[in-house]
Amino acid sequence: MRVGPVDVLVLSAPTLDGGSRVVDALREVLDSGAIALIDIVLIARATDGTVSFADADAGLPAPLQDLLAHPSPLTLLSDRDVALASASVANGEVGLLLVLEHRWARRLTERIQDEGGITRLHERVPHDAVVRAFKADGAAAT
């Protein structure tokens, strides 16, 4: 099975339940077929700093569980990955640790390979660098 590039993304907000607009936006992009969610961990940090977790194996709310591409998530995330991600979630916030496959890139790569080509580089440009470049060119960006 061919797979596309995979990224890890951590989002946080005061609340992220199954009815959240963030979850709706994620569902929208998943439904487009551009990406697939291959693993998810819900990270909740109480105001006192206590952290709790829920994942596809235990405690993940059904609306979030239903976003996964496969009934059994992959085991790409280690305990260290989850601990690192949880450090970025502030007190009183809930975070989503997402493992996303870029299916659009997989499809493009397959076509390049069909033509005898190869993907030579796939690199993520940091968001802040992109915003600075837009602003340097006089365009508004956030």
Side-chain angles (χ1 to χ4, degrees):
M1 176 173 87
R2 290 183 176 174
V3 295
V6 173
D7 282 333
V8 174
L9 180 66
V10 179
L11 307 169
S12 67
T15 183
L16 290 171
D17 59 24
S20 160
R21 289 182 7 185
V22 172
V23 175
D24 290 344
L26 179 57
R27 184 180 315 279
E28 199 174 291
V29 73
L30 292 168
D31 288 347
S32 78
I35 63 171
L37 182 63
I38 57 178
D39 204 353
I40 183 171
V41 176
L42 181 70
I43 303 165
R45 184 177 296 274
T47 54
D48 68 0
T50 305
V51 180
S52 61
F53 305 95
D55 61 19
D57 293 329
L60 193 64
L64 295 174
Q65 181 90 28
D66 294 343
L67 298 175
L68 285 164
H70 307 286
S72 298
L74 298 179
T75 55
L76 290 173
L77 297 172
S78 68
D79 290 342
R80 184 176 185 277
D81 296 329
V82 175
L84 193 65
S86 68
S88 68
V89 177
N91 289 355
E93 287 186 344
V94 178
L96 289 178
L97 171 56
L98 308 172
V99 180
L100 304 167
E101 176 196 4
H102 293 273
R103 289 191 167 170
W104 66 269
R106 181 188 73 201
R107 292 189 296 265
L108 182 60
T109 298
E110 288 172 348
R111 296 308 167 266
I112 275 289
Q113 290 170 345
D114 291 346
E115 298 293 325
I118 187 169
T119 301
R120 297 280 180 196
L121 179 66
H122 175 95
E123 184 68 30
R124 173 79 43 170
V125 178
H127 179 75
D128 291 345
V130 175
V131 169
R132 281 192 307 273
F134 272 92
K135 288 181 177 180
D137 287 341
T142 58

